[in-house]
Amino acid sequence: MAMRFSRDCDACDGDGQCEYCSVEFHLRAKCINDQTLDVTSKDLYSSDHTVVPVDFSDSSTGIDNGESKGIIIVKLRRGQELILRAIARKGIGKDHAKWSPAATVTFMYEPDIYINEELMESLTLEEKREFVESSPTKVFDIHPTTQQVIIHDAEAYTYDDEVIKKAEAMGKPGLVEIHAKEDSFIFTVETTGAVKASQLFLNAIDILKQKLDAVRLSADTVEADEQFGELGAHMRGG
Amino acid sequence: MNAPDRYERFVVPEGVSKVSYERDTKIINAASFTVEREDHTIGNIVRMQLHRDENVLFAGYKLPHPLQYKILLRIHTTSQSSPMQAYNQAINDLDKELDHLKNEFEVALARHTGKQQTQDY
């Protein structure tokens, strides 16, 4: 399928109207009766059946509503009519943020959590519970059998030093030591829904490779300079 | 009014080459590369890779002006190598690293989806 960018499309001279670089949608809606008519994304009819409006509204509820209503565009009163033609083109986020499939992308260093077991032994079960509770996110937990403080989810640690402060407040500094691993990261990728998050990551790697390829020194750029080389440069500039 | 069009950020105009370089006349084994229509995405990653090359004495990049979409990359090397060689080597190494990252990710993804499918029961 491989839709092209309108700019690069030679079939229509970059006009952005041909079948290779654009998808046309049309919508006709008229409200005839007294009830308010909801014009939704389901009313947008595509000229290419493989390209459809994105709609995740039904899967989120989990209740079987039968058909999903689609995303509401506008509501019409009796006598009002809407006729429009929409053209969808491919683009990149650099051109306009509407084309970026990434919603939120974050990264943090992976934490290295070390519990000082000897100091931990000196705490009562109540104090251990207080310590575990003091973290806003569930990083630690009490092991059901051994009643020890264990690491429940190291990645949930957000580098707020609440547990460190709690340990100091209890009079036990150095109870836990948390460092950020310098070369291990946790990336969180959230998309708008147009592409899957895993697919977005793979696409991003491909695009980065393409960029690097474009930026490589070609043999003729080097050759043109090689002819004159160091001596030429010195002769030219001193 | 004076703002350039958004597509100027990534469309290389006619007659302009994507990457060009000038040797430094006063310092041996030093060159300044100009990469058109690129930004920190390429500049930073190539600079970081150049720092890992033991033949590279100096590597730095800058965007001369935020509204002029090009980067200047300056490389000094020892006589064991040349700036052009170091530059291409850095790009090749990055390419391999990205290939490795992609493969590892695909393996981990397959493992994860496999585990999820068995967990659904």
Side-chain angles (χ1 to χ4, degrees), chain A residues 73-112:
Chain A
I73 299 171
V74 73
K75 297 185 182 186
L76 299 176
R77 198 183 186 274
R78 175 167 40 95
Q80 291 179 330
E81 185 175 1
L82 184 62
I83 304 173
L84 60 86
R85 189 174 75 117
I87 303 172
R89 298 198 186 108
K90 201 163 107 154
I92 60 174
K94 220 170 184 182
D95 198 350
H96 194 284
K98 68 187 173 188
W99 275 302
S100 173
T104 309
V105 176
T106 63
F107 96 94
M108 66 177 201
Y109 289 98
E110 193 185 343
D112 197 6

mmCIF file of all heavy atoms in Angstrom, chain A residues 73-112:
data_model
loop_
_atom_site.group_PDB
_atom_site.id
_atom_site.type_symbol
_atom_site.label_atom_id
_atom_site.label_comp_id
_atom_site.label_asym_id
_atom_site.label_seq_id
_atom_site.Cartn_x
_atom_site.Cartn_y
_atom_site.Cartn_z
ATOM 1 N N ILE A 73 -18.741 14.477 15.978
ATOM 2 C CA ILE A 73 -18.151 15.637 15.312
ATOM 3 C C ILE A 73 -19.008 16.876 15.573
ATOM 4 O O ILE A 73 -18.514 17.916 15.984
ATOM 5 C CB ILE A 73 -18.020 15.401 13.797
ATOM 6 C CG1 ILE A 73 -17.106 14.190 13.538
ATOM 7 C CG2 ILE A 73 -17.488 16.633 13.097
ATOM 8 C CD1 ILE A 73 -17.096 13.743 12.099
ATOM 9 N N VAL A 74 -20.318 16.732 15.307
ATOM 10 C CA VAL A 74 -21.194 17.884 15.485
ATOM 11 C C VAL A 74 -22.619 17.366 15.693
ATOM 12 O O VAL A 74 -22.928 16.226 15.355
ATOM 13 C CB VAL A 74 -21.102 18.821 14.262
ATOM 14 C CG1 VAL A 74 -21.801 18.221 13.057
ATOM 15 C CG2 VAL A 74 -21.627 20.207 14.560
ATOM 16 N N LYS A 75 -23.481 18.197 16.292
ATOM 17 C CA LYS A 75 -24.887 17.803 16.485
ATOM 18 C C LYS A 75 -25.768 18.729 15.651
ATOM 19 O O LYS A 75 -25.563 19.944 15.619
ATOM 20 C CB LYS A 75 -25.265 17.912 17.963
ATOM 21 C CG LYS A 75 -24.462 16.970 18.837
ATOM 22 C CD LYS A 75 -24.938 17.003 20.277
ATOM 23 C CE LYS A 75 -24.069 16.092 21.123
ATOM 24 N NZ LYS A 75 -24.531 15.965 22.487
ATOM 25 N N LEU A 76 -26.753 18.160 14.986
ATOM 26 C CA LEU A 76 -27.602 18.947 14.082
ATOM 27 C C LEU A 76 -29.030 18.997 14.584
ATOM 28 O O LEU A 76 -29.540 18.045 15.171
ATOM 29 C CB LEU A 76 -27.588 18.336 12.668
ATOM 30 C CG LEU A 76 -26.237 18.264 11.965
ATOM 31 C CD1 LEU A 76 -26.393 17.548 10.633
ATOM 32 C CD2 LEU A 76 -25.676 19.655 11.730
ATOM 33 N N ARG A 77 -29.673 20.135 14.286
ATOM 34 C CA ARG A 77 -31.075 20.337 14.646
ATOM 35 C C ARG A 77 -31.917 20.073 13.400
ATOM 36 O O ARG A 77 -31.414 19.956 12.297
ATOM 37 C CB ARG A 77 -31.235 21.785 15.099
ATOM 38 C CG ARG A 77 -32.469 22.099 15.893
ATOM 39 C CD ARG A 77 -32.482 23.602 16.186
ATOM 40 N NE ARG A 77 -33.565 23.963 17.077
ATOM 41 C CZ ARG A 77 -34.801 24.246 16.664
ATOM 42 N NH1 ARG A 77 -35.094 24.214 15.384
ATOM 43 N NH2 ARG A 77 -35.734 24.555 17.533
ATOM 44 N N ARG A 78 -33.229 20.045 13.577
ATOM 45 C CA ARG A 78 -34.106 19.784 12.441
ATOM 46 C C ARG A 78 -33.881 20.816 11.345
ATOM 47 O O ARG A 78 -33.886 22.019 11.564
ATOM 48 C CB ARG A 78 -35.558 19.815 12.907
ATOM 49 C CG ARG A 78 -36.573 19.683 11.774
ATOM 50 C CD ARG A 78 -37.950 19.400 12.313
ATOM 51 N NE ARG A 78 -38.241 20.154 13.513
ATOM 52 C CZ ARG A 78 -38.888 21.324 13.521
ATOM 53 N NH1 ARG A 78 -39.298 21.864 12.393
ATOM 54 N NH2 ARG A 78 -39.136 21.937 14.653
ATOM 55 N N GLY A 79 -33.672 20.346 10.148
ATOM 56 C CA GLY A 79 -33.492 21.231 9.005
ATOM 57 C C GLY A 79 -32.035 21.529 8.686
ATOM 58 O O GLY A 79 -31.709 21.997 7.602
ATOM 59 N N GLN A 80 -31.116 21.242 9.620
ATOM 60 C CA GLN A 80 -29.702 21.546 9.367
ATOM 61 C C GLN A 80 -29.064 20.409 8.588
ATOM 62 O O GLN A 80 -29.381 19.240 8.792
ATOM 63 C CB GLN A 80 -28.960 21.768 10.688
ATOM 64 C CG GLN A 80 -29.390 23.052 11.368
ATOM 65 C CD GLN A 80 -28.673 23.244 12.696
ATOM 66 O OE1 GLN A 80 -28.329 22.278 13.359
ATOM 67 N NE2 GLN A 80 -28.455 24.491 13.071
ATOM 68 N N GLU A 81 -28.156 20.762 7.696
ATOM 69 C CA GLU A 81 -27.511 19.756 6.856
ATOM 70 C C GLU A 81 -26.017 20.031 6.792
ATOM 71 O O GLU A 81 -25.581 21.180 6.853
ATOM 72 C CB GLU A 81 -28.104 19.827 5.441
ATOM 73 C CG GLU A 81 -27.597 18.738 4.520
ATOM 74 C CD GLU A 81 -28.295 18.760 3.171
ATOM 75 O OE1 GLU A 81 -29.157 19.644 2.970
ATOM 76 O OE2 GLU A 81 -27.968 17.908 2.340
ATOM 77 N N LEU A 82 -25.260 18.979 6.681
ATOM 78 C CA LEU A 82 -23.804 19.114 6.610
ATOM 79 C C LEU A 82 -23.295 18.266 5.454
ATOM 80 O O LEU A 82 -23.524 17.058 5.416
ATOM 81 C CB LEU A 82 -23.176 18.647 7.928
ATOM 82 C CG LEU A 82 -21.666 18.803 8.094
ATOM 83 C CD1 LEU A 82 -21.254 20.243 8.043
ATOM 84 C CD2 LEU A 82 -21.225 18.203 9.424
ATOM 85 N N ILE A 83 -22.627 18.897 4.491
ATOM 86 C CA ILE A 83 -22.022 18.154 3.380
ATOM 87 C C ILE A 83 -20.575 18.595 3.305
ATOM 88 O O ILE A 83 -20.297 19.785 3.183
ATOM 89 C CB ILE A 83 -22.699 18.491 2.035
ATOM 90 C CG1 ILE A 83 -24.193 18.238 2.110
ATOM 91 C CG2 ILE A 83 -22.076 17.668 0.910
ATOM 92 C CD1 ILE A 83 -24.931 18.698 0.875
ATOM 93 N N LEU A 84 -19.650 17.650 3.386
ATOM 94 C CA LEU A 84 -18.253 18.054 3.283
ATOM 95 C C LEU A 84 -17.397 16.973 2.646
ATOM 96 O O LEU A 84 -17.767 15.807 2.594
ATOM 97 C CB LEU A 84 -17.674 18.441 4.664
ATOM 98 C CG LEU A 84 -17.649 17.439 5.787
ATOM 99 C CD1 LEU A 84 -16.419 16.558 5.769
ATOM 100 C CD2 LEU A 84 -17.680 18.182 7.119
ATOM 101 N N ARG A 85 -16.239 17.414 2.133
ATOM 102 C CA ARG A 85 -15.281 16.514 1.499
ATOM 103 C C ARG A 85 -13.960 16.727 2.228
ATOM 104 O O ARG A 85 -13.509 17.855 2.349
ATOM 105 C CB ARG A 85 -15.144 16.905 0.031
ATOM 106 C CG ARG A 85 -14.358 15.943 -0.817
ATOM 107 C CD ARG A 85 -14.430 16.392 -2.261
ATOM 108 N NE ARG A 85 -13.569 17.546 -2.478
ATOM 109 C CZ ARG A 85 -12.513 17.540 -3.293
ATOM 110 N NH1 ARG A 85 -12.200 16.447 -3.945
ATOM 111 N NH2 ARG A 85 -11.797 18.631 -3.449
ATOM 112 N N ALA A 86 -13.396 15.656 2.741
ATOM 113 C CA ALA A 86 -12.156 15.786 3.507
ATOM 114 C C ALA A 86 -11.063 14.977 2.835
ATOM 115 O O ALA A 86 -11.303 13.878 2.356
ATOM 116 C CB ALA A 86 -12.365 15.287 4.939
ATOM 117 N N ILE A 87 -9.844 15.546 2.783
ATOM 118 C CA ILE A 87 -8.727 14.854 2.150
ATOM 119 C C ILE A 87 -7.668 14.589 3.214
ATOM 120 O O ILE A 87 -7.189 15.522 3.865
ATOM 121 C CB ILE A 87 -8.126 15.697 1.012
ATOM 122 C CG1 ILE A 87 -9.210 16.020 -0.010
ATOM 123 C CG2 ILE A 87 -6.971 14.952 0.345
ATOM 124 C CD1 ILE A 87 -8.777 16.982 -1.065
ATOM 125 N N ALA A 88 -7.321 13.325 3.387
ATOM 126 C CA ALA A 88 -6.314 12.950 4.379
ATOM 127 C C ALA A 88 -4.979 12.751 3.687
ATOM 128 O O ALA A 88 -4.888 12.039 2.694
ATOM 129 C CB ALA A 88 -6.737 11.655 5.077
ATOM 130 N N ARG A 89 -3.935 13.413 4.211
ATOM 131 C CA ARG A 89 -2.601 13.274 3.642
ATOM 132 C C ARG A 89 -1.633 12.802 4.705
ATOM 133 O O ARG A 89 -1.839 13.032 5.892
ATOM 134 C CB ARG A 89 -2.098 14.612 3.092
ATOM 135 C CG ARG A 89 -2.928 15.160 2.005
ATOM 136 C CD ARG A 89 -2.181 16.219 1.209
ATOM 137 N NE ARG A 89 -3.120 16.799 0.264
ATOM 138 C CZ ARG A 89 -3.620 18.029 0.381
ATOM 139 N NH1 ARG A 89 -3.255 18.795 1.374
ATOM 140 N NH2 ARG A 89 -4.493 18.471 -0.497
ATOM 141 N N LYS A 90 -0.554 12.191 4.251
ATOM 142 C CA LYS A 90 0.458 11.693 5.189
ATOM 143 C C LYS A 90 1.431 12.824 5.491
ATOM 144 O O LYS A 90 1.769 13.611 4.628
ATOM 145 C CB LYS A 90 1.203 10.520 4.551
ATOM 146 C CG LYS A 90 1.891 9.638 5.554
ATOM 147 C CD LYS A 90 2.238 8.308 4.913
ATOM 148 C CE LYS A 90 3.715 8.210 4.657
ATOM 149 N NZ LYS A 90 4.179 6.817 4.638
ATOM 150 N N GLY A 91 1.876 12.903 6.718
ATOM 151 C CA GLY A 91 2.852 13.929 7.072
ATOM 152 C C GLY A 91 3.665 13.500 8.264
ATOM 153 O O GLY A 91 3.447 12.417 8.812
ATOM 154 N N ILE A 92 4.616 14.336 8.692
ATOM 155 C CA ILE A 92 5.417 14.002 9.870
ATOM 156 C C ILE A 92 5.216 15.056 10.953
ATOM 157 O O ILE A 92 4.810 16.182 10.679
ATOM 158 C CB ILE A 92 6.926 13.881 9.545
ATOM 159 C CG1 ILE A 92 7.480 15.187 8.987
ATOM 160 C CG2 ILE A 92 7.172 12.742 8.599
ATOM 161 C CD1 ILE A 92 8.977 15.138 8.799
ATOM 162 N N GLY A 93 5.540 14.667 12.177
ATOM 163 C CA GLY A 93 5.318 15.537 13.316
ATOM 164 C C GLY A 93 6.095 16.835 13.240
ATOM 165 O O GLY A 93 5.700 17.853 13.808
ATOM 166 N N LYS A 94 7.211 16.818 12.510
ATOM 167 C CA LYS A 94 8.040 18.020 12.414
ATOM 168 C C LYS A 94 7.315 19.122 11.648
ATOM 169 O O LYS A 94 7.524 20.300 11.882
ATOM 170 C CB LYS A 94 9.333 17.665 11.677
ATOM 171 C CG LYS A 94 10.532 18.320 12.256
ATOM 172 C CD LYS A 94 11.784 17.740 11.629
ATOM 173 C CE LYS A 94 12.984 18.341 12.310
ATOM 174 N NZ LYS A 94 14.228 17.880 11.759
ATOM 175 N N ASP A 95 6.470 18.715 10.728
ATOM 176 C CA ASP A 95 5.723 19.660 9.914
ATOM 177 C C ASP A 95 4.602 20.265 10.749
ATOM 178 O O ASP A 95 4.415 21.483 10.783
ATOM 179 C CB ASP A 95 5.145 18.895 8.707
ATOM 180 C CG ASP A 95 4.727 19.829 7.597
ATOM 181 O OD1 ASP A 95 4.710 21.053 7.828
ATOM 182 O OD2 ASP A 95 4.405 19.323 6.518
ATOM 183 N N HIS A 96 3.834 19.404 11.406
ATOM 184 C CA HIS A 96 2.772 19.871 12.273
ATOM 185 C C HIS A 96 2.489 18.772 13.282
ATOM 186 O O HIS A 96 2.501 17.598 12.937
ATOM 187 C CB HIS A 96 1.510 20.168 11.454
ATOM 188 C CG HIS A 96 0.491 20.954 12.222
ATOM 189 N ND1 HIS A 96 -0.308 20.386 13.189
ATOM 190 C CD2 HIS A 96 0.157 22.258 12.173
ATOM 191 C CE1 HIS A 96 -1.104 21.318 13.699
ATOM 192 N NE2 HIS A 96 -0.848 22.463 13.100
ATOM 193 N N ALA A 97 2.267 19.162 14.521
ATOM 194 C CA ALA A 97 2.115 18.172 15.593
ATOM 195 C C ALA A 97 0.927 17.245 15.367
ATOM 196 O O ALA A 97 0.877 16.163 15.943
ATOM 197 C CB ALA A 97 1.977 18.884 16.937
ATOM 198 N N LYS A 98 -0.028 17.635 14.509
ATOM 199 C CA LYS A 98 -1.182 16.753 14.291
ATOM 200 C C LYS A 98 -0.757 15.422 13.682
ATOM 201 O O LYS A 98 -1.449 14.423 13.813
ATOM 202 C CB LYS A 98 -2.200 17.424 13.379
ATOM 203 C CG LYS A 98 -1.733 17.616 11.941
ATOM 204 C CD LYS A 98 -2.727 18.432 11.126
ATOM 205 C CE LYS A 98 -2.162 18.751 9.758
ATOM 206 N NZ LYS A 98 -2.989 19.687 8.999
ATOM 207 N N TRP A 99 0.395 15.404 13.005
ATOM 208 C CA TRP A 99 0.835 14.190 12.355
ATOM 209 C C TRP A 99 1.694 13.314 13.260
ATOM 210 O O TRP A 99 2.074 12.218 12.857
ATOM 211 C CB TRP A 99 1.647 14.523 11.098
ATOM 212 C CG TRP A 99 0.810 14.755 9.903
ATOM 213 C CD1 TRP A 99 -0.089 13.891 9.351
ATOM 214 C CD2 TRP A 99 0.793 15.922 9.081
ATOM 215 N NE1 TRP A 99 -0.656 14.451 8.245
ATOM 216 C CE2 TRP A 99 -0.133 15.693 8.042
ATOM 217 C CE3 TRP A 99 1.483 17.140 9.107
ATOM 218 C CZ2 TRP A 99 -0.399 16.636 7.060
ATOM 219 C CZ3 TRP A 99 1.229 18.064 8.127
ATOM 220 C CH2 TRP A 99 0.292 17.820 7.113
ATOM 221 N N SER A 100 1.990 13.772 14.433
ATOM 222 C CA SER A 100 2.841 12.958 15.294
ATOM 223 C C SER A 100 2.021 11.875 15.973
ATOM 224 O O SER A 100 1.021 12.165 16.622
ATOM 225 C CB SER A 100 3.506 13.843 16.356
ATOM 226 O OG SER A 100 4.198 13.029 17.261
ATOM 227 N N PRO A 101 2.393 10.608 15.831
ATOM 228 C CA PRO A 101 1.627 9.531 16.474
ATOM 229 C C PRO A 101 1.971 9.343 17.952
ATOM 230 O O PRO A 101 1.336 8.544 18.627
ATOM 231 C CB PRO A 101 2.031 8.295 15.672
ATOM 232 C CG PRO A 101 3.384 8.612 15.165
ATOM 233 C CD PRO A 101 3.486 10.096 15.009
ATOM 234 N N ALA A 102 2.960 10.087 18.430
ATOM 235 C CA ALA A 102 3.385 9.901 19.815
ATOM 236 C C ALA A 102 2.637 10.862 20.717
ATOM 237 O O ALA A 102 2.576 12.062 20.453
ATOM 238 C CB ALA A 102 4.889 10.144 19.939
ATOM 239 N N ALA A 103 2.066 10.349 21.795
ATOM 240 C CA ALA A 103 1.356 11.210 22.737
ATOM 241 C C ALA A 103 2.325 11.675 23.822
ATOM 242 O O ALA A 103 2.660 12.831 23.922
ATOM 243 C CB ALA A 103 0.174 10.461 23.332
ATOM 244 N N THR A 104 2.767 10.742 24.655
ATOM 245 C CA THR A 104 3.705 11.098 25.714
ATOM 246 C C THR A 104 4.856 10.102 25.675
ATOM 247 O O THR A 104 4.639 8.901 25.643
ATOM 248 C CB THR A 104 3.045 10.982 27.101
ATOM 249 O OG1 THR A 104 1.832 11.692 27.082
ATOM 250 C CG2 THR A 104 3.939 11.542 28.174
ATOM 251 N N VAL A 105 6.063 10.617 25.685
ATOM 252 C CA VAL A 105 7.223 9.735 25.724
ATOM 253 C C VAL A 105 8.098 10.192 26.876
ATOM 254 O O VAL A 105 8.476 11.346 26.942
ATOM 255 C CB VAL A 105 8.016 9.806 24.395
ATOM 256 C CG1 VAL A 105 9.263 8.971 24.474
ATOM 257 C CG2 VAL A 105 7.151 9.337 23.255
ATOM 258 N N THR A 106 8.349 9.295 27.820
ATOM 259 C CA THR A 106 9.166 9.677 28.969
ATOM 260 C C THR A 106 10.305 8.689 29.135
ATOM 261 O O THR A 106 10.228 7.564 28.654
ATOM 262 C CB THR A 106 8.342 9.655 30.276
ATOM 263 O OG1 THR A 106 7.910 8.321 30.498
ATOM 264 C CG2 THR A 106 7.158 10.569 30.200
ATOM 265 N N PHE A 107 11.331 9.145 29.815
ATOM 266 C CA PHE A 107 12.360 8.175 30.157
ATOM 267 C C PHE A 107 12.909 8.488 31.536
ATOM 268 O O PHE A 107 12.906 9.636 31.983
ATOM 269 C CB PHE A 107 13.466 8.135 29.092
ATOM 270 C CG PHE A 107 14.676 8.971 29.371
ATOM 271 C CD1 PHE A 107 15.778 8.411 29.987
ATOM 272 C CD2 PHE A 107 14.730 10.289 28.995
ATOM 273 C CE1 PHE A 107 16.903 9.158 30.220
ATOM 274 C CE2 PHE A 107 15.854 11.044 29.223
ATOM 275 C CZ PHE A 107 16.949 10.482 29.833
ATOM 276 N N MET A 108 13.313 7.446 32.229
ATOM 277 C CA MET A 108 13.968 7.665 33.518
ATOM 278 C C MET A 108 15.049 6.597 33.692
ATOM 279 O O MET A 108 15.050 5.572 33.014
ATOM 280 C CB MET A 108 12.963 7.611 34.659
ATOM 281 C CG MET A 108 12.322 6.270 34.884
ATOM 282 S SD MET A 108 11.245 6.390 36.316
ATOM 283 C CE MET A 108 11.131 4.702 36.775
ATOM 284 N N TYR A 109 15.967 6.887 34.586
ATOM 285 C CA TYR A 109 17.027 5.936 34.857
ATOM 286 C C TYR A 109 16.475 4.792 35.681
ATOM 287 O O TYR A 109 15.620 4.984 36.537
ATOM 288 C CB TYR A 109 18.162 6.605 35.635
ATOM 289 C CG TYR A 109 18.960 7.582 34.812
ATOM 290 C CD1 TYR A 109 18.699 8.937 34.875
ATOM 291 C CD2 TYR A 109 19.969 7.136 33.973
ATOM 292 C CE1 TYR A 109 19.438 9.828 34.122
ATOM 293 C CE2 TYR A 109 20.700 8.022 33.224
ATOM 294 C CZ TYR A 109 20.434 9.365 33.294
ATOM 295 O OH TYR A 109 21.162 10.241 32.558
ATOM 296 N N GLU A 110 16.970 3.617 35.442
ATOM 297 C CA GLU A 110 16.527 2.468 36.223
ATOM 298 C C GLU A 110 17.150 2.552 37.607
ATOM 299 O O GLU A 110 18.360 2.756 37.730
ATOM 300 C CB GLU A 110 16.976 1.176 35.533
ATOM 301 C CG GLU A 110 16.316 -0.056 36.078
ATOM 302 C CD GLU A 110 16.870 -1.323 35.463
ATOM 303 O OE1 GLU A 110 17.516 -1.224 34.408
ATOM 304 O OE2 GLU A 110 16.660 -2.385 36.050
ATOM 305 N N PRO A 111 16.350 2.435 38.666
ATOM 306 C CA PRO A 111 16.913 2.570 40.004
ATOM 307 C C PRO A 111 17.549 1.274 40.497
ATOM 308 O O PRO A 111 17.095 0.184 40.172
ATOM 309 C CB PRO A 111 15.689 2.933 40.867
ATOM 310 C CG PRO A 111 14.528 2.401 40.126
ATOM 311 C CD PRO A 111 14.894 2.282 38.687
ATOM 312 N N ASP A 112 18.612 1.457 41.265
ATOM 313 C CA ASP A 112 19.321 0.321 41.860
ATOM 314 C C ASP A 112 19.060 0.416 43.360
ATOM 315 O O ASP A 112 19.623 1.282 44.032
ATOM 316 C CB ASP A 112 20.811 0.473 41.549
ATOM 317 C CG ASP A 112 21.557 -0.816 41.745
ATOM 318 O OD1 ASP A 112 20.903 -1.852 42.008
ATOM 319 O OD2 ASP A 112 22.795 -0.797 41.651
#
